[in-house]
Amino acid sequence: MSGKSVFFTGATGYIGGTVLQSLINSATPPSKITALIRDSAKSDLLTSLSAAKAKGVSVVPLLGSLEELDKVREAASQADVVVSTANADDLKGVKAILEGLKQRKEKTGHRGLLIHTSGTGVLIDDSKGDYPNDKIYTDLNPTPATRISPALLSLADLSPSAPHREVDLAIIAADKAGDVKSYIVLPSTIWGPGEGEVYESGLSNSFSDQIPTLIKAALDRRRAGVVGQGKNIWPHVKITDLGKLYALIYEKATVPSPTIGHGPSGYYLGIAGEYTLFGAASRIGQALSTNKLLPDGTQTTPSTFTKEELDKYYGGSTYMGTNSRGVADRSKSIGWKPKYTDDEDMFAHIDQEVVRIEKKFGNTWDSKGKVNVY
C-alpha cells in the first residue's frame, strides 16, 4: 500500500542518506517523508531532491534533534512509519519515538511501523584480535552444530548488556505490547562511498567509520595497524546492498497483509560476507604504498596498535579486535540478494578509499566529527 507517511531520523548520515534515497526510489515510495535534521542550511537540499519530485514524494524538513523529545514524540505520532537511522544507542530518543507511535495506536487503532538501525556490534566477543571464533548468530532459525559446521545461535540469547541491546530490547517490548510493529536492521562493517543525489548534493555524509578509521590511523602512524594479531573476523556489506535491504523491508511491511516477521521475529542482519581485520589492514598497507602515501621503505604488513595508539584512535577500546559473526538468513528469506559478497569486493574498495580519505582528511589524525556507525 503506497502513500505512507514516514518520519525519518538520520537523513544526513552515511546510512541514512542511502536509506532515504532507497525509499524514494522504491517500488512503493512514501507520499510524505518528514526528515529530522539539525542543520537548517540543508533544508533546501531536502526539499529540492529531484528523485523525490519525480516519484511524487513530499520531503519535509523538521529542524531539531533527537534530544528534543517532545518534537520527536509528536512527529512519530503523526507517521505511519518511522525509519530510525540516527543513533543505535539513543534510548531516550527511541523511547520518545515509541511513545509517539503508541499515541498513534491509541488514536487510530492501527499499529505504526518502526524500522530501526542497530548493528552487528551486538554480536561481539572480547578476543582483542588474538583469535577468530565460531560463535555465529542467525536472524532466523538457530540450528545445532554438526560435524562439518558450527551451531547457528539465536539473537534472542544475546546478553542484555551487549552493545545496542538496551535499545533493541525496548523496541521488542513495545512490539510485544502491541504498540508498534518493529523491524530491526543490524548492519555490519559498511563500505563504499554513498551514491546518488543525496550525496552528490552534499546533503548526506559519504564516509563510513570502520575502514576509514583504520585508514586514517595508518596514515597518521605511517603504517597499517591491527588490534592484537588481527585474527578476528567481522561481517561486511556494501552501502548500496544495505540500502536495498531497508527498501525491501519497507515495501514488504507496508503491503495490505504483510507476511514478514516483526518484533522478536523482526531482526534483519545486514551481512553479505566476512573478512579478517588483518586482511583489511594488509590491503590498506598495500594501497597506501602503491599510491605513495607512505614514506619509502615503509612495511606494508600491519603492526599491532600500542596502548597509546588505541587510546588515540579508539578511546582505549579494543572493539576493532572483536569477532562479530552472523548469517543473514531472515534478510535473504524475504528476497534480499546482496551483490557484493566476497572480501575481495571490500578490499578492492580499499584501494580507492585510501586515496579518497587522504585527499579529504590529510595524513594526520583528527577525531573531530568522528561518528560511530556500527
Side-chain angles (χ1 to χ4, degrees):
M1 188 162 53
S2 62
K4 297 291 187 181
S5 61
V6 171
F7 173 47
F8 197 107
T9 70
T12 61
Y14 174 67
I15 296 175
T18 288
V19 177
L20 177 64
Q21 186 102 42
S22 297
L23 290 188
I24 291 171
N25 294 340
S26 71
T28 56
S31 60
K32 178 181 178 182
I33 299 175
T34 301
L36 183 70
I37 60 170
R38 295 175 182 267
D39 188 355
S40 60
K42 292 188 174 182
S43 294
D44 289 344
L45 297 177
L46 269 172
T47 56
S48 61
L49 291 172
S50 60
K53 293 179 179 179
K55 296 293 285 284
V57 180
S58 171
V59 183
V60 181
L62 175 62
L63 292 179
S65 71
L66 286 173
E67 288 76 32
E68 297 178 68
L69 301 181
D70 288 341
K71 184 174 290 186
V72 170
R73 188 180 298 109
E74 174 63 20
S77 73
Q78 299 298 316
D80 298 314
V81 184
V82 176
V83 179
S84 165
T85 71
N87 187 337
D89 298 309
D90 186 351
L91 183 60
K92 290 183 179 179
V94 165
K95 282 187 173 180
I97 289 172
L98 294 173
E99 289 164 1
L101 288 171
K102 182 178 181 180
Q103 291 175 6
R104 180 190 185 280
K105 165 70 182 306
E106 293 170 346
K107 181 179 179 179
T108 67
H110 300 290
R111 296 165 73 176
L113 312 182
L114 171 59
I115 302 173
H116 173 74
T117 304
S118 181
T120 59
V122 73
L123 310 179
I124 63 170
D125 63 6
D126 191 31
S127 62
K128 296 182 175 63
D130 289 336
Y131 55 86
N133 75 16
D134 58 1
K135 197 172 184 179
I136 303 174
Y137 289 86
T138 174
D139 53 6
L140 191 55
N141 298 318
T143 58
T146 68
R147 288 185 299 173
I148 60 174
S149 61
L152 294 181
L153 308 174
S154 171
L155 295 175
D157 296 333
L158 290 167
S159 168
S161 63
H164 315 319
R165 194 64 174 153
E166 184 178 32
V167 172
D168 292 355
L169 290 176
I171 293 171
I172 297 299
D175 185 289
K176 288 182 177 179
D179 298 331
V180 303
K181 286 185 178 180
S182 67
Y183 308 85
I184 299 178
V185 185
L186 298 91
S188 47
T189 294
I190 315 169
W191 57 272
E195 299 178 3
E197 185 181 8
V198 296
Y199 299 103
E200 294 163 2
S201 68
L203 173 65
S204 301
N205 168 36
S206 68
F207 289 93
S208 181
D209 186 15
Q210 283 169 294
I211 297 302
T213 297
L214 279 173
I215 295 171
K216 292 175 187 177
L219 286 163
D220 183 72
R221 72 196 293 266
R222 305 298 189 259
R223 186 174 179 180
V226 293
V227 177
Q229 301 178 64
K231 292 182 177 180
N232 55 297
I233 299 172
W234 258 74
H236 70 82
V237 63
K238 189 176 182 183
I239 185 65
T240 48
D241 279 337
L242 182 64
K244 292 174 183 176
L245 175 59
Y246 278 87
L248 188 63
I249 292 170
Y250 176 84
E251 290 168 3
K252 290 186 173 292
T254 55
V255 296
S257 299
T259 58
I260 67 169
H262 62 89
S265 299
Y267 292 106
Y268 296 86
L269 287 170
I271 292 175
E274 289 189 320
Y275 69 100
T276 65
L277 177 62
F278 190 85
S282 296
R283 193 60 170 254
I284 289 170
Q286 294 166 16
L288 290 172
S289 176
T290 299
N291 290 283
K292 302 186 184 305
L293 296 175
L294 294 177
D296 290 340
T298 301
Q299 293 191 42
T300 60
T301 304
S303 63
T304 301
F305 288 124
T306 65
K307 180 184 182 304
E308 291 73 22
E309 288 173 331
L310 286 175
D311 290 342
K312 182 177 184 180
Y313 305 132
Y314 294 102
S317 172
T318 57
Y319 189 98
M320 276 303 295
T322 61
N323 289 286
S324 171
R325 305 191 67 187
V327 288
D329 293 328
R330 185 182 304 279
S331 295
K332 292 176 181 178
S333 76
I334 67 169
W336 186 52
K337 298 177 181 178
K339 181 178 179 181
Y340 301 93
T341 59
D342 295 335
D343 58 2
E344 181 58 33
D345 292 325
M346 188 182 80
F347 293 165
H349 158 71
I350 286 174
D351 295 342
Q352 303 171 16
E353 188 73 340
V354 293
V355 177
R356 193 170 74 111
I357 292 291
E358 194 275 338
K359 182 178 180 180
K360 175 71 175 180
F361 300 102
N363 60 4
T364 56
W365 178 256
D366 182 5
S367 61
K368 182 179 180 182
K370 186 176 184 299
V371 178
N372 183 327
V373 296
Y374 46 85

